């Protein structure tokens, strides 16, 4: 089944404890992206990647890192999480050849992160 | 970052009623997408509109892109409880990388 898989789905952690949220897609998509969703603020892009070894900042990249060593994986790294990073995180990917403007985004099921 | 306004923010109506939600920007979109998100899941694409004045239909859902490509609407006819969810519009502007999402319209259809 074609899908975007995120892990963990739920995580409670403490301030300063490094964590990684993994994202993997099995659709051979080139474009991948991370979003955070917060009440009243909507979906905001954190980082995106047009292809392997190519990553760029989105609208809210502070406090996050990403890497794209393989086409299928795009992990989100929080080196020193803080309470303001408590949020619902979504990974998304888009098919090869699709424009970043009009290509369909396929989303994972989300990872709910709480930082105490 | 361009701003994209959605209205209303919340809407609760009875089954069988019609409704319209709106997505507006002060700038011209190069394209616009509508997504639907259910609790505990990621957004799922409903439609992409590109041409000013374009109208697309998906069963009881009608999507319209404004002539000037600064606004879009989603009209649902005879709403059903299964239409309940968060409706998100996402716009792209010329020269920008990727999509900007609106804050969404929370829609509840009561039986």
């Amino acid at each position: 089944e074609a899908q975007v898989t995120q892990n963990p789905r739920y995580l409670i952690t403490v301030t300063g404890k490094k964590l990684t949220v993994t994202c993997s897609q099995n659709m051979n998509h080139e474009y991948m992206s991370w979003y955070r969703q917060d009440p009243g603020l909507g979906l905001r892009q954190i980082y995106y990647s047009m292809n392997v070894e190519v990553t760029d900042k989105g609208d809210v990249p502070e406090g996050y890192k990403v890497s794209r060593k393989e086409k299928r994986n795009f992990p989100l790294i929080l080196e020193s999480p803080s309470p303001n990073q408590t949020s619902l995180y979504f990974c998304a990917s888009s098919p090869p050849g699709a424009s970043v403007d009009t290509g369909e985004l396929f989303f994972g099921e989300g990872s709910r992160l709480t930082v105490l | 970052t361009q701003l994209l306004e959605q209205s209303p923010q919340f809407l609760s109506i009875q089954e069988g009623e019609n409704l319209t939600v709106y997505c507006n920007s002060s700038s011209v979109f190069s394209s616009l997408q509508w997504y639907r998100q259910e609790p505990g899941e990621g957004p799922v694409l409903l439609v992409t509109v590109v041409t000013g004045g374009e109208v697309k239909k998906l069963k009881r859902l009608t999507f319209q892109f404004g002539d000037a490509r600064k606004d879009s609407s989603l009209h649902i006819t005879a709403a059903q409880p299964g239409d309940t969810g968060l409706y998100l519009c996402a716009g792209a502007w010329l020269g920008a990388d990727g999509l900007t999402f609106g804050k969404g319209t929370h829609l509840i259809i009561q039986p």
Side-chain angles (χ1 to χ4, degrees):
Chain A
E1 180 189 354
Q3 60 187 1
V4 178
T5 304
Q6 297 179 223
N7 279 296
R9 293 288 314 280
Y10 302 91
L11 179 63
I12 300 174
T13 189
V14 295
T15 299
K17 187 176 180 182
K18 180 179 177 180
L19 68 93
T20 299
V21 185
T22 64
C23 174
S24 180
Q25 50 89 9
N26 61 1
M27 297 171 281
N28 198 36
H29 288 177
E30 292 171 349
Y31 180 89
M32 296 186 75
S33 182
W34 275 103
Y35 293 86
R36 59 178 290 174
Q37 187 173 37
D38 302 288
L41 296 176
L43 274 166
R44 294 178 293 168
Q45 191 178 49
I46 303 171
Y47 268 95
Y48 65 96
S49 170
M50 302 291 282
N51 213 326
V52 176
E53 301 292 357
V54 180
T55 62
D56 281 292
K57 295 178 180 179
D59 297 319
V60 288
E62 295 77 21
Y64 304 95
K65 286 174 59 177
V66 292
S67 69
R68 188 87 183 276
K69 296 187 174 121
E70 308 165 278
K71 186 182 263 193
R72 65 182 293 129
N73 296 322
F74 190 43
L76 179 69
I77 303 155
L78 284 72
E79 294 270 3
S80 183
S82 61
N84 65 11
Q85 292 179 297
T86 292
S87 187
L88 178 59
Y89 291 87
F90 286 100
C91 180
S93 68
S94 196
S99 162
V100 294
D101 295 349
T102 58
E104 176 177 359
L105 282 172
F106 290 81
F107 284 85
E109 293 184 307
S111 297
R112 185 167 291 281
L113 171 65
T114 301
V115 183
L116 302 176
Chain B
T1 302
Q2 301 282 8
L3 285 178
L4 197 156
E5 303 277 347
Q6 277 191 252
S7 62
Q9 192 174 354
F10 297 95
L11 184 59
S12 179
I13 63 172
Q14 295 294 124
E15 181 177 2
E17 294 183 11
N18 301 331
L19 67 105
T20 303
V21 299
Y22 300 93
C23 180
N24 296 285
S25 172
S26 58
S27 301
V28 175
F29 296 112
S30 59
S31 67
L32 189 134
Q33 297 181 343
W34 284 93
Y35 287 80
R36 179 165 166 259
Q37 183 180 10
E38 297 191 41
E41 298 182 10
V44 176
L45 180 69
L46 296 173
V47 77
T48 300
V49 287
V50 178
T51 306
E54 185 174 4
V55 177
K56 284 192 174 179
K57 292 194 174 183
L58 189 65
K59 297 183 181 177
R60 294 175 293 100
L61 278 60
T62 301
F63 304 86
Q64 187 156 5
F65 201 17
D67 291 339
R69 307 208 325 263
K70 290 185 177 182
D71 58 273
S72 181
S73 63
L74 158 59
H75 182 79
I76 301 179
T77 304
Q80 298 177 1
D83 295 327
T84 293
L86 175 66
Y87 289 81
L88 297 159
C89 66
W93 287 270
L94 290 174
D97 287 330
L99 297 168
T100 296
F101 282 83
K103 295 178 183 179
T105 293
H106 293 266
L107 176 63
I108 296 174
I109 309 301
Q110 299 179 25

